[in-house]
Every structure is written in C-alpha cells, then in structure tokens.
Amino acid sequence: MDITTTLLGIGFFLLFMLPILWIVLKQNNHTKYLKNSLKNFGKTENLEFSETEITPRIILGITTNKDILVFAEISNNKNNIDFQKITIDKNNKFIVETTQTKGEGITYVALTKQNNKHKPIVFYHDDTDLGTDALTCLQAAKKWEKLLN
C-alpha cells in the first residue's frame, strides 16, 4: 500500500507538472529563436548590438555607438520577422506616448520619434495584449526612451 500511494503521488505530480514544464521550455525556445533572429539580422547588416530586449509584443536592439535602433513586431508567423531600422539623431527625441481611460487604466503605450516620420513602436495595446501588464510595458518604454535620448 505504501508503494502504491507513492507511485500515485508521483503520477499525479508528473501529470500536472509535465505540461507546465513543456510550456516553459517552448517559451524559452521561442525567446532564443527571437534573439538569434536579431543577431542574424545584425550580422547581415553589419550591426553590433549593445542592448537588446524582447517584450511580449516587440524585439528591440540598439547598436553599440547608439546610432541605429532595430525593432520588429512579434507576430504569430514565426518565419516572417520584419526588422526595421531607425537612424537615431540627437535633434529628434523619442517620447513615450500613453493613453489612459478612466476606470480601465493604461490602454496604449508606444515610443514615437518627435518628427513622426516613422510609425510608433507599440509596447502595449489593450485590444490585443490581453495577458500583458501595461505598467511593465510602460517601464520598458521609459527605459528605451532614456537609452535613445
């Protein structure tokens, strides 16, 4: 009876833990894939990144001499990551845009260039980022605003 109880306990433990471990492993592999994609893009464009970050919505990288920002939106299509480059000049500052609604909190967080030639780098949008914390995305956007200005 003692061995049966132990085997049942181990069986239930594995029944509940293996799916969680599989999800964590799959997420880590996805993150490694995204980092490698950014590195490979840097190699093809002769760019070396000093700072990189992967958020639930975007991939960001800044070159070592802080003159080029590379970013891409993360989509469900793994094979198609569309990296974009923005040249950083000290005359045009990057600013964090946020939208808040009464009662709902932050609904939109983006990093935009003051001259508005480029589309905003969206860190959080309430309609599509259901499982993401808006304040965490706001902190990431402010971090990148400091890095870029």
Side-chain angles (χ1 to χ4, degrees):
M1 172 123 162
D2 207 17
I3 294 174
T4 308
T5 306
T6 304
L7 289 176
L8 270 173
I10 291 172
F12 280 123
F13 176 77
L14 291 175
L15 181 69
F16 290 108
M17 290 305 292
L18 285 178
I20 294 170
L21 291 174
W22 182 74
I23 290 170
V24 169
L25 182 64
K26 190 170 180 169
Q27 181 63 35
N28 285 340
N29 287 340
H30 183 64
T31 303
K32 284 180 188 178
Y33 169 77
L34 293 173
K35 282 185 180 182
N36 286 335
S37 297
L38 182 62
K39 284 181 186 178
N40 290 338
F41 179 78
K43 284 179 185 176
T44 58
E45 298 287 324
N46 293 326
L47 301 172
E48 188 176 325
F49 300 110
S50 63
E51 184 83 27
T52 60
E53 185 166 355
I54 298 174
T55 68
R57 190 176 180 96
I58 55 174
I59 308 166
L60 294 161
I62 190 168
T63 57
T64 51
N65 49 3
K66 295 188 178 185
D67 63 343
I68 296 177
L69 171 69
V70 175
F71 74 97
E73 290 186 15
I74 298 172
S75 65
N76 291 335
N77 186 0
K78 271 183 138 181
N79 299 327
N80 189 15
I81 299 177
D82 184 28
F83 287 104
Q84 299 176 21
K85 295 191 305 186
I86 297 177
T87 305
I88 301 169
D89 54 350
K90 298 301 175 190
N91 297 332
N92 289 324
K93 301 281 185 194
F94 284 86
I95 55 173
V96 174
E97 284 184 6
T98 59
T99 305
Q100 287 184 310
T101 57
K102 209 172 199 178
E104 288 185 28
I106 299 172
T107 57
Y108 179 78
V109 177
L111 191 64
T112 59
K113 206 169 181 181
Q114 276 184 334
N115 65 5
N116 286 333
K117 287 184 181 176
H118 298 282
K119 71 177 194 172
I121 303 169
V122 179
F123 281 79
Y124 176 80
H125 196 284
D126 196 25
D127 294 340
T128 56
D129 299 329
L130 299 176
T132 307
D133 183 34
L135 293 176
T136 305
C137 294
L138 179 61
Q139 290 298 323
K142 286 185 178 183
K143 172 189 159 190
W144 280 91
E145 180 185 32
K146 275 185 186 177
L147 273 171
L148 296 170
N149 291 329

